[in-house]
Amino acid sequence: MNKYEIHTFGLASLSLLLTTLVQAQPLDGRDIALKMHAADSSLDGRRDATMLIERGDQRLVRKLAMLNKKYGADEKTLTRFVEPADVRDTQYLSWSYDATDKDDDLWVFFPSENLVRRISGGGKKGSFMRSDFANEDMEQRVVDDDTHTLLEETTLDGKEVYLIESTPIAAKARDTNYSKRKTWIDKKTWLALQVEYFDRRGRLLKRLKQGGIEQIDDIWTATKLIMETPRKKSRTLMQYTNVQYNVDLVDSVFQQSSLKR
Amino acid sequence: MSPNWTGRLLQIRVASLLTVVVLTALALMQMSKLQVDNSNEIFFTSGDPVMERLDNFKATFGNDDFVFILVDVEDAFDPDTLKRAGQLADRLELEVPHLLAMTWIGNVEWIEGVPGGIVIEELIPDLTVSAEKLRALGQRATNDPAYRDRLISGDARSIGLLLEFENYPELDIDPRKDSPPVIHSLLAEFNDLETHVVGGPILDYQMDHYTAEEAPIWAGAALLGMCLLLILTTRSIAGVLIPAATVVLSVIWTMGLVATLGFKVNLFVIMVPTLLLCVGIGDTMHVVAEFQQSLRAGMNRAEALKHTLGLVSKPILLTTVTTAVGFLAFLTTDLQPLRDIGVQAAIGVWIALLLTFMFAVPVMSYGPQPSRTTGGKVHTPDIFDRILAALAGWGIHHKMRIAVAFSILIVLALVGINKLVIETNTLQDLPEDNPMRLSYDYVDERMGGAMSIEFVVDTGKADGIKDIELLHKLDRLQQFLDSHPLVTQTSSLLDQLKQMHRAVHENDPDAYKLPERTSQAAEYLLLYESGGGTQLEKYASFTYDQLRVQARTKTLALTEIRELQGPVNEFVTREFGDRVQIYSTGTLPTFEHIATLIAQGQGRSFLMAFFAVSIVMMLTLGSIKLGLISMIPNVIPVAFALGAMGWFGWNLNMVGLVLAPMIIGVAVDDTVHFFMRYRRYFRELGDYDAAYRETMRTVGRPLMFTTLVLVVGFSGFLLSIFNGPIHFALASMLAFLSALAAEFLLVPVLLSWLKPLSNREQGRAEEATNTVSP
């Protein structure tokens, strides 16, 4: 073993040791939240969504076609309504920013009047199309909008999971319906298997279960989501189909000028 | 009861008394389980269509229960004031149970069109902004019809906090009772703020409180009054204690049984103990009176009891039957609390009879034997005897005058009955200076009303309410409601649609109108629902098949509710025909429905009591003609009582509905005793006037005393803070006194004119006289 080789060996050993040390360093709540956030490594994608909303014996069906593209930590999404027929082709374009101090941008296209209007302000806390999902549940939450605590490592439905509790930071507390969320994150896929949402009084408000997990274009994806609101005796099933990732969507798709027909 | 039976009863007197002790202990334990419930829902029997509509409304649009807190301030937009109100709002939001939403100007949504866009945000996103900015934001609220006089008064000196509740969970204990104590305690903590609180749960809670407070006062006052009267009339300890203890035990047993059977107690059912005290005491009084007479006649206790029960068992059994029948007549009404009263009071009078034998008789058997030397003492006539004798003498000589006087009074009573007004709004039953009523009046004055009528438009198909033609028709309905003088404000999803239309068109004031096309309406609704849309769930059904139009009003009396509903119904029929189903629901229509049920129930229960008691009387007296005559002194008091209520302008409410059948059931007791005695003396003496004198001499006294006991007992209700029980008591007292007057004066006139007692009986009387004569 020459000097160079000794050096190389030494460096390799050191790096292995460091790697081992780093790996042995237990993950904290924020690390896990970051890993969950990064689970979708795609640059862009498209999918169709069908929502079945059940309240008592009444049912509503909503169908949407969604496109998204990432710009670093920011993301642009275009949602087109397919059903119900009376709102077909209504489109929502949103630009969401990772910076905690920047509000998202949203534009709506009304086909019957051929009008585009920029929507500013809140609405995040409102219900998404009368479903059990709130608008805020439909987007990836910025990791540092919350503080995350690892509660325990446990199992859920036979899967090894991290259970973390996320509490909004003071500056964001007013913008959300929830005082905290508990998330069960699959150690293998880094997807949330279950999320419990708690209201301002700390009472359980809603429970999300994610299933139908499959690897699409090498990205773990939950294709079936069930959100329940026990106190309202209501639940929403969201089914994603035709999921595709990295489809090279052009930037102009996400410009407000392209919203009009 | 035969002497043998009385003998057997006396043999087991120890066992009987022990049984009474054990059952009383059990009843007392059960009584602690009694639950109070004064909500409007308790009025309805299951399957009631109005209740079903209300249930449908709640299932579709959520719980209609709300609490409204009015905070009086110097200046609503002073930063410190708003901050303090915000602290109260936060605490309420965090601590009040079953809360769905806490809305105030500090957290309401604001939708506004700006060039090229729409702003959807909270009206005051941040309470820490500068005073000028706060004032500017606040000005928007005072100018917006959606908030002015709802969450802020036009002069910005009153702030409203609206607490809405989720559909209550089904629990053993009424969850509606959970929020008021928390709200009251928080308001006490924020006592630097001047607050007025109204709303269904608060009113309900306060009523429960009054109910729990009043019942013992009524019953206690009734018992005290009756004891004093018994002391005055019987002048003996046993004469007071035995009847009083018997009725108290009857009440305990009855309420214990009521709790065991799972009945809930409400303002009406709570009258049962006092009613029972009054109507249950008669049995024992008759037994004690006759027993004391027997003792004075020289019998020993066992003999006296055998003699007494032989004489009074049949009449007190009969009076129990007739009183129970009177109360059971309430079963013909569609009002649940009345049915409950009917069943409970009927059970109660039977228990009172049972305890007369199980408790009063065994107790009377104890005690020293009256010495034979005092035995056989002749009862010396006292003031009561002299009054009765004078009355009988006067009656015989003034038959025509009596008949004319009663006829005039009956005509007057009938005129009065026509003036009767039914009133079911609980608040109207409270005196005008009651704090609860003052709060409602104040909120009415400052915020334009704390009550509402809800109109539900049911298209019968999903998305039906998005139809633009229908929406325009509904707009006309809403305008019609707005133009009605009794409506202070209306709201519906149409307001949001107009708001969205204006916002989409860059806040052009001319665009504050409904869109032209169904597709536009659908898109605006979509934008509204995805933009937060806090009002959507409240005003549109989940599948958009039903829409709600709310008309806010001040606290309305029943006549006003009908004044409003009538024209609206006509408008709906004219504009909508059969195309959609539109119905009204909510608190005020519920009051209206209760009134309809009262009107129906009044007639039905009166007729039922009348026919049932008539049949019992005909069977008892063995004559149709005599049975019918015997009903006259029972019907007259009903007419007098209701007539007096009409003349004095006392409203007829649920409590008043108890009157007619109860009067028949109670007054008939006098009739049973009077007629049975009268017929007996007629058989003996063969002459109507002589039979009258003898009846008055013997049975007149206990009848007068039982009536006085009823009058004194019912005076307990005069201590109520509600007008209903007070008017009920006064009308009842008048009824009992007029029943006695009719018995003592009119009945002898009718008997001597109509001569219903057969010649056969007269013959039997003559025969008896001849046999007895030497």
Side-chain angles (χ1 to χ4, degrees):
Chain A
M1 195 180 279
N2 61 28
K3 194 179 173 185
Y4 175 76
E5 282 171 333
I6 291 169
H7 269 264
T8 309
F9 177 76
L11 275 175
S13 304
L14 186 66
S15 108
L16 184 68
L17 181 69
L18 278 175
T19 310
T20 315
L21 276 175
V22 167
Q23 276 181 349
Q25 188 80 26
L27 295 172
D28 66 11
R30 184 170 180 276
D31 298 332
I32 297 163
L34 281 169
K35 281 195 174 282
M36 180 173 65
H37 196 258
D40 176 0
S41 58
S42 65
L43 296 175
D44 63 10
R46 66 168 80 230
R47 63 178 65 190
D48 294 331
T50 303
M51 270 200 303
L52 174 66
I53 313 163
E54 296 176 331
R55 190 179 297 176
D57 52 1
Q58 293 185 303
R59 286 170 165 212
L60 284 184
V61 177
R62 301 274 187 258
K63 287 187 179 166
L64 321 157
M66 299 156 106
L67 305 174
N68 75 307
K69 185 165 185 171
K70 291 177 187 165
Y71 294 83
D74 299 341
E75 187 172 2
K76 296 181 181 178
T77 311
L78 180 69
T79 305
R80 185 171 59 84
F81 292 89
V82 180
E83 251 182 56
D86 55 17
V87 292
R88 183 170 296 148
D89 291 330
T90 304
Q91 293 174 57
Y92 278 54
L93 170 65
S94 84
W95 293 2
S96 43
Y97 306 105
D98 190 52
T100 50
D101 56 350
K102 192 170 178 188
D103 286 335
D104 297 349
D105 285 315
L106 178 71
W107 291 266
V108 181
F109 169 64
F110 300 100
S112 69
E113 293 181 78
N114 200 26
L115 271 179
V116 175
R117 287 287 178 261
R118 181 169 186 272
I119 309 294
S120 51
K124 279 196 172 187
K125 289 197 265 181
S127 154
F128 178 71
M129 301 193 79
R130 308 202 82 171
S131 72
D132 294 274
F133 290 92
N135 288 317
E136 61 177 320
D137 306 333
M138 297 302 294
E139 53 192 48
Q140 278 257 28
R141 197 166 157 82
V142 175
V143 171
D144 288 328
D145 279 359
D146 298 290
T147 51
H148 308 274
T149 315
L150 173 63
L151 295 182
E152 61 174 329
E153 293 178 42
T154 177
T155 56
L156 182 73
D157 302 330
K159 291 179 179 158
E160 298 274 317
V161 292
Y162 291 109
L163 171 58
I164 64 166
E165 186 176 278
S166 309
T167 315
I169 58 170
K172 292 287 170 183
R174 258 182 91 93
D175 299 343
T176 172
N177 290 309
Y178 317 120
S179 61
K180 67 176 181 194
R181 285 168 296 134
K182 278 185 182 176
T183 311
W184 284 256
I185 300 154
D186 186 3
K187 286 185 177 177
K188 181 180 158 199
T189 62
W190 295 103
L191 291 180
L193 297 180
Q194 178 172 291
V195 187
E196 287 183 346
Y197 300 83
F198 294 84
D199 65 12
R200 284 192 63 199
R201 294 176 169 198
R203 294 176 303 180
L204 179 67
L205 183 66
K206 300 191 294 190
R207 182 181 290 113
L208 171 71
K209 290 223 173 213
Q210 300 208 111
I213 292 171
E214 50 188 289
Q215 215 167 11
I216 301 170
D217 301 329
D218 288 334
I219 294 168
W220 286 107
T221 308
T223 57
K224 265 188 194 164
L225 287 65
I226 297 174
M227 180 75 96
E228 277 183 290
T229 316
R231 268 185 282 153
K232 275 166 89 177
K233 292 186 180 128
S234 157
R235 66 175 204 158
T236 302
L237 169 69
M238 175 93 83
Q239 171 95 53
Y240 291 125
T241 50
N242 302 325
V243 181
Q244 291 173 273
Y245 292 111
N246 301 323
V247 285
D248 285 331
L249 293 171
V250 293
D251 290 343
S252 61
V253 169
F254 300 100
Q255 293 302 316
Q256 45 160 314
S257 53
S258 64
L259 275 173
K260 289 197 184 186
R261 272 187 288 205
Chain B
M1 188 180 270
S2 72
N4 279 347
W5 276 103
T6 311
R8 272 180 219 159
L9 183 64
L10 293 178
Q11 275 169 8
I12 55 159
R13 61 186 185 172
V14 176
S16 176
L17 288 173
L18 281 175
T19 311
V20 170
V21 170
V22 172
L23 288 177
T24 305
L26 283 175
L28 280 170
M29 281 194 290
Q30 288 300 102
M31 266 175 79
S32 61
K33 293 181 188 163
L34 272 180
Q35 283 183 32
V36 179
D37 187 2
N38 275 313
S39 58
N40 285 333
E41 286 77 1
I42 58 165
F43 290 110
F44 303 106
T45 50
S46 61
D48 185 290
V50 170
M51 206 57 220
E52 280 177 2
R53 282 177 180 183
L54 191 62
D55 286 343
N56 172 56
F57 175 85
K58 285 181 181 176
T60 310
F61 303 102
N63 193 344
D64 67 332
D65 238 357
F66 71 89
V67 169
F68 185 78
I69 300 169
L70 187 79
V71 185
D72 269 347
V73 292
E74 283 290 308
D75 172 12
F77 302 117
D78 168 67
D80 290 335
T81 305
L82 212 54
K83 199 173 147 201
R84 186 69 181 142
Q87 286 166 348
L88 173 62
D90 274 350
R91 292 285 303 279
L92 287 164
E93 189 172 6
L94 282 175
E95 292 174 35
V96 175
H98 313 297
L99 195 67
L100 178 72
M102 213 303 310
T103 314
W104 75 296
I105 49 161
N107 67 2
V108 287
E109 69 185 5
W110 182 255
I111 300 173
E112 189 180 27
V114 292
I118 299 166
V119 178
I120 303 174
E121 60 182 11
E122 287 191 350
L123 173 74
I124 306 173
D126 184 2
L127 285 175
T128 58
V129 294
S130 70
E132 292 75 43
K133 173 83 175 156
L134 209 52
R135 194 163 302 282
L137 292 172
Q139 214 66 56
R140 301 203 298 198
T142 47
N143 290 335
D144 192 317
Y147 304 127
R148 188 180 59 235
D149 292 340
R150 281 174 176 263
L151 299 178
I152 180 119
S153 63
D155 59 6
R157 293 177 66 121
S158 299
I159 299 172
L161 307 176
L162 178 68
L163 288 83
E164 291 164 294
F165 296 88
E166 60 188 17
N167 277 327
Y168 295 123
E170 282 169 21
L171 302 171
D172 286 346
I173 296 166
D174 187 358
R176 202 178 187 217
K177 318 282 184 217
D178 295 343
S179 59
V182 178
I183 293 169
H184 286 308
S185 112
L186 276 173
L187 293 183
E189 216 178 296
F190 282 76
N191 57 9
D192 52 315
L193 295 173
E194 194 189 327
T195 54
H196 306 266
V197 56
V198 297
I202 297 286
L203 182 60
D204 188 16
Y205 181 77
Q206 195 59 47
M207 289 293 180
D208 287 356
H209 182 70
Y210 290 143
T211 306
E213 223 171 43
E214 295 229 322
I217 296 177
W218 295 347
L223 194 62
L224 187 70
M226 291 190 315
C227 286
L228 289 175
L229 189 72
L230 287 171
I231 291 170
L232 199 73
T233 52
T234 67
R235 291 167 199 273
S236 91
I237 295 172
V240 179
L241 288 185
I242 295 173
T246 310
V247 281
V248 169
L249 288 175
S250 310
V251 170
I252 294 171
W253 282 29
T254 307
M255 296 321 283
L257 195 59
V258 162
T260 311
L261 294 175
F263 285 104
K264 283 190 177 173
V265 178
N266 54 54
L267 190 61
F268 309 105
V269 172
I270 211 74
M271 297 171 74
V272 169
T274 314
L275 278 179
L276 279 182
L277 284 179
C278 299
V279 302
I281 204 162
D283 294 347
T284 330
M285 275 179 72
H286 280 285
V287 173
V288 171
E290 202 59 51
F291 175 69
Q292 287 183 331
Q293 265 186 25
S294 306
L295 286 183
R296 280 196 291 268
M299 299 180 200
N300 67 30
R301 284 184 178 268
E303 288 165 0
L305 279 173
K306 283 177 189 167
H307 172 77
T308 299
L309 294 186
L311 208 62
V312 300
S313 291
K314 195 178 168 191
I316 64 173
L317 180 69
L318 266 172
T319 56
T320 304
V321 171
T322 49
T323 309
V325 162
F327 282 121
L328 286 175
F330 293 138
L331 287 176
T332 59
T333 70
D334 289 325
L335 291 154
Q336 195 57 47
L338 272 196
R339 290 183 179 197
D340 292 353
I341 288 186
V343 172
Q344 293 170 19
I347 293 173
V349 293
W350 280 105
I351 287 179
L353 179 73
L354 184 68
L355 278 165
T356 302
F357 291 109
M358 277 183 77
F359 174 75
V361 171
V363 168
M364 281 189 271
S365 70
Y366 288 99
Q369 293 296 328
S371 64
R372 287 284 168 187
T373 48
T374 57
K377 189 174 74 178
V378 180
H379 173 63
T380 45
D382 61 8
I383 174 97
F384 298 112
D385 299 307
R386 286 197 291 277
I387 291 173
L388 288 166
L391 208 57
W394 187 83
I396 288 168
H397 293 108
H398 297 92
K399 288 177 183 157
M400 184 52 83
R401 281 191 189 179
I402 290 169
V404 170
F406 269 95
S407 305
I408 292 170
L409 288 172
I410 289 167
V411 171
L412 283 173
L414 292 177
V415 175
I417 289 173
N418 272 319
K419 291 172 184 278
L420 260 183
V421 174
I422 296 179
E423 182 52 76
T424 41
N425 190 336
T426 328
L427 269 177
Q428 304 277 334
D429 202 25
L430 285 168
E432 282 176 9
D433 59 350
N434 175 273
M436 191 77 235
R437 188 160 172 181
L438 286 175
S439 287
Y440 268 90
D441 288 346
Y442 189 72
V443 171
D444 278 356
E445 184 197 319
R446 295 293 296 149
M447 290 292 200
M451 295 216 169
S452 64
I453 299 188
E454 308 289 347
F455 295 92
V456 175
V457 183
D458 188 353
T459 63
K461 58 175 184 200
D463 294 322
I465 58 161
K466 293 179 186 170
D467 179 85
I468 201 70
E469 202 189 322
L470 176 68
L471 286 172
H472 280 275
K473 279 192 171 190
L474 289 171
D475 195 24
R476 288 198 287 278
L477 169 64
Q478 200 170 335
Q479 283 168 18
F480 177 78
L481 286 169
D482 267 325
S483 67
H484 197 286
L486 290 171
V487 174
T488 53
Q489 209 169 32
T490 61
S491 43
S492 79
L493 201 63
L494 303 184
D495 306 333
Q496 274 74 35
L497 275 174
K498 289 177 189 176
Q499 211 176 12
M500 294 309 292
H501 191 259
R502 184 177 61 188
V504 168
H505 293 90
E506 302 184 338
N507 246 27
D508 175 5
D510 292 340
Y512 189 77
K513 59 182 182 186
L514 287 177
E516 304 297 323
R517 296 190 297 279
T518 299
S519 57
Q520 274 176 294
E523 286 165 18
Y524 292 169
L525 284 174
L526 177 69
L527 176 63
Y528 184 68
E529 70 181 33
S530 45
T534 53
Q535 303 299 306
L536 197 63
E537 297 280 311
K538 274 198 258 174
Y539 289 109
S541 64
F542 185 57
T543 56
Y544 289 108
D545 60 335
Q546 296 176 56
L547 186 91
R548 161 193 185 187
V549 180
Q550 183 186 54
R552 279 177 73 208
T553 69
K554 299 188 174 192
T555 308
L556 297 186
L558 180 73
T559 43
E560 292 173 311
I561 300 173
R562 289 185 168 157
E563 257 172 56
L564 173 57
Q565 276 193 321
V568 174
N569 289 344
E570 279 170 31
F571 182 89
V572 165
T573 314
R574 197 171 59 239
E575 281 283 316
F576 296 88
D578 299 332
R579 209 182 135 196
V580 291
Q581 199 201 340
I582 300 184
Y583 62 84
S584 58
T585 185
T587 315
L588 293 177
T590 305
F591 285 145
E592 201 272 337
H593 182 55
I594 294 172
T596 309
L597 294 181
I598 286 182
Q600 287 169 357
Q602 180 76 275
R604 252 192 256 161
S605 58
F606 171 74
L607 286 176
M608 180 65 204
F610 178 81
F611 283 122
V613 172
S614 299
I615 290 167
V616 174
M617 290 307 291
M618 286 173 200
L619 290 173
T620 308
L621 299 172
S623 146
I624 294 176
K625 194 174 176 186
L626 202 56
L628 286 177
I629 294 172
S630 77
M631 290 311 288
I632 292 173
N634 301 317
V635 176
I636 283 176
V638 175
F640 283 7
L642 294 178
M645 289 184 75
W647 280 108
F648 288 120
W650 299 340
N651 296 331
L652 185 68
N653 58 14
M654 180 83 71
V655 178
L657 181 49
V658 179
L659 269 178
M662 184 204 68
I663 292 170
I664 290 189
V666 174
V668 77
D669 290 5
D670 291 354
T671 312
V672 168
H673 289 288
F674 193 89
F675 272 70
M676 290 184 89
R677 215 47 89 87
Y678 193 104
R679 196 175 54 176
R680 187 173 140 193
Y681 291 127
F682 184 80
R683 277 179 187 159
E684 283 176 15
L685 305 168
D687 175 69
Y688 281 97
D689 288 347
Y692 172 36
R693 275 185 201 279
E694 201 51 25
T695 306
M696 287 293 275
R697 193 185 65 76
T698 53
V699 86
R701 192 183 168 94
L703 290 189
M704 185 158 73
F705 289 168
T706 46
T707 302
L708 285 176
V709 163
L710 279 172
V711 169
V712 170
F714 270 62
S715 65
F717 291 121
L718 296 179
L719 298 173
S720 176
I721 65 151
F722 295 96
N723 293 326
I726 294 174
H727 296 160
F728 170 75
L730 292 172
S732 302
M733 290 173 179
L734 175 71
F736 299 141
L737 289 172
S738 56
L740 191 69
E743 214 75 67
F744 282 179
L745 297 171
L746 185 63
V747 166
V749 174
L750 293 172
L751 290 175
S752 79
W753 283 357
L754 298 172
K755 303 204 184 314
L757 295 168
S758 62
N759 293 332
R760 186 164 51 89
E761 287 186 86
Q762 208 163 358
R764 221 187 278 164
E766 278 159 14
E767 207 176 283
T769 320
N770 293 338
T771 319
V772 174
S773 308

